[in-house]
Amino acid sequence: MVSRAASSRPSKCDPIRVLVTGAAGQIAYSLLYSIAKGDVFGKDQPIILLLLDISPMLPVLDGVVMELQDCALPLLKEVVPTDKEEVAFKDLDAAILVGSMPRKEGMERKDLLKANVSIFKSQGAALDKYAKKTVKVLVVGNPANTNCLIAAKSAPSIPKENFSCLTRLDHNRAASQVAMRVGVPTDNVKNVIIWGNHSSTQYPDVHHAKVTVSGTEMDVFDAVKDDEWLKGDFISGHFVSMGVYSNGKPYSVPDDLIYSFPVVIKDKAWKIVTGLQINDFSREKMDATATELVEERDTAVSFLGA
Ligand SMILES: NC(=O)c1ccc[n+]([C@@H]2O[C@H](COP(=O)([O-])OP(=O)(O)OC[C@H]3O[C@@H](n4cnc5c(N)ncnc54)[C@H](O)[C@@H]3O)[C@@H](O)[C@H]2O)c1
């Protein structure tokens, strides 16, 4: 089924093909509008939106398409709802992989991981087979790090640096917490680092972060003046609040994409920072989350052959 959004406004360039998976879900519901009105890829960039979900969700997807049509967004040239990977991944410029297997009651962590490996293996292979070799891929569905690795491994013909996954949400949350504590706007806080897995071992690190207070830039520890909080509740509360209000809330993902996608789509590249000083406190936190990540990676990779 193919439907067109009405628009006759001449555009500056050819439309790009953007896939959102899990398109009938909660995150996609707020994300799609943001993409379609130009927040993510630019106000001059026409878009063809491909929406993938599983077959039982197709009626919901039809509703999503109608809502997008009702917006009559000038940048939106076409919307394609589908349950078929060969349609969804064809000639893609960008893929935002949101759909994943949710944890069901009583489900073992391993079984959940196995189900997600199966989804991201299949979608990685579809990227490899059908998408442009220049496609940029952002994985949102959790466990985002590991799902991203599996997708990248399953798409050997696409450069590894074209794959990334979402941690901007965690970064923004940590920056906001510091800003609220100091009583300044969030954009007065910079250089917050998020290390590791999307789980309770995730480490929001403010040892290199700066905050501007009354025009003066200072270390976060000097501005907050509460080391116990910064080394305790600030870190442990980070993931707890994630569980409470991250899923499906409209403000969590689109903002992140607005910031992160220009980096992956506009011919810019990310790079690994070297020579960063890591103190003993950070090292311990980083080691803990790295151990968990490696374990998750090994388990996931062991499912790849299955
Ligand atoms: N990385 C982050 O920062 C971040 C933030 C928020 C949410 N998330 C994750 O995003 C994911 C989606 O969250 P949600 O609230 O929209 O969930 P949701 O359950 O509302 O929607 C998920 C959608 O994915 C679909 N889906 C399942 N398997 C699929 C497949 N193989 N192909 C295509 N679609 C498939 C489902 O049918 C459903 O419509 C979750 O994994 C959530 O944990 C990540």
Side-chain angles (χ1 to χ4, degrees):
M1 181 189 358
V2 176
S3 53
R4 274 169 204 286
S7 166
S8 55
R9 197 183 77 161
S11 55
K12 285 188 187 158
C13 47
D14 292 336
I16 54 169
R17 294 172 68 83
V18 178
L19 164 68
V20 176
T21 70
Q26 293 187 77
I27 293 290
Y29 189 72
S30 52
L31 173 61
L32 289 171
Y33 176 66
S34 205
I35 295 173
K37 73 181 174 56
D39 289 346
V40 178
F41 297 98
K43 301 287 179 196
D44 295 330
Q45 179 59 64
I47 284 174
I48 296 172
L49 260 182
L50 297 114
L51 309 181
L52 179 72
D53 212 296
I54 52 177
S55 311
M57 297 304 282
L58 283 180
V60 179
L61 215 46
D62 283 344
V64 173
V65 172
M66 282 187 255
E67 290 198 36
L68 284 167
Q69 287 170 332
D70 284 350
C71 297
L73 296 161
L75 292 174
L76 191 58
K77 299 301 168 194
E78 191 176 341
V79 187
V80 184
T82 183
D83 58 352
K84 296 185 176 50
E85 286 183 349
E86 62 271 28
V87 175
F89 287 83
K90 182 106 184 93
D91 295 332
L92 284 186
D93 295 286
I96 304 172
L97 307 182
V98 182
S100 64
M101 177 64 74
R103 190 176 210 134
K104 293 175 189 149
E105 213 171 311
M107 198 174 191
E108 291 286 329
R109 205 177 135 266
K110 261 195 163 182
D111 294 334
L112 183 68
L113 194 58
K114 196 173 196 173
N116 278 307
V117 167
S118 148
I119 291 173
F120 285 83
K121 180 183 173 185
S122 172
Q123 295 186 352
L127 281 164
D128 203 55
K129 192 165 175 191
Y130 303 113
K132 289 183 183 162
K133 298 302 168 200
T134 50
V135 65
K136 304 294 190 293
V137 184
L138 177 70
V139 177
V140 179
N142 280 317
N145 295 312
T146 302
N147 289 342
C148 186
L149 176 81
I150 297 298
K153 269 187 178 296
S154 307
S157 68
I158 295 167
K160 294 283 171 279
E161 58 270 27
N162 289 19
F163 289 81
S164 65
C165 63
L166 204 72
T167 36
R168 173 65 78 165
L169 163 66
D170 311 304
H171 166 276
N172 289 356
R173 180 166 301 148
S176 295
Q177 291 294 317
V178 168
M180 280 192 291
R181 197 81 179 188
V182 179
V184 297
T186 307
D187 63 352
N188 284 28
V189 181
K190 65 176 191 187
N191 298 350
V192 171
I193 305 172
I194 301 295
W195 299 105
N197 213 2
H198 202 77
S199 77
S200 58
T201 65
Q202 186 172 73
Y203 171 43
D205 177 6
V206 288
H207 284 91
H208 303 275
K210 303 281 181 197
V211 53
T212 303
V213 186
S214 308
T216 306
E217 193 174 275
M218 10 187 356
D219 289 344
V220 164
F221 279 85
D222 293 337
V224 170
K225 298 191 189 79
D226 188 348
D227 290 16
E228 201 183 318
W229 179 75
L230 280 172
K231 292 181 168 181
D233 287 354
F234 167 68
I235 297 170
S236 56
H238 185 74
F239 191 70
V240 174
S241 58
M242 204 181 283
V244 172
Y245 69 92
S246 119
N247 257 16
K249 285 288 174 359
Y251 47 82
S252 60
V253 167
D255 282 352
D256 183 77
L257 287 173
I258 293 162
Y259 291 116
S260 70
F261 241 104
V263 177
V264 284
I265 197 79
K266 298 273 186 211
D267 294 330
K268 291 185 189 163
W270 52 265
K271 63 176 187 231
I272 294 171
V273 174
T274 53
L276 201 65
Q277 293 294 319
I278 305 292
N279 65 19
D280 291 347
F281 179 84
S282 291
R283 175 58 62 199
E284 198 179 308
K285 297 275 178 212
M286 289 164 69
D287 285 350
T289 197
T291 302
E292 189 187 77
L293 258 182
V294 167
E295 208 181 288
E296 187 173 283
R297 177 199 66 191
D298 292 347
T299 311
V301 170
S302 76
F303 292 143
L304 260 183

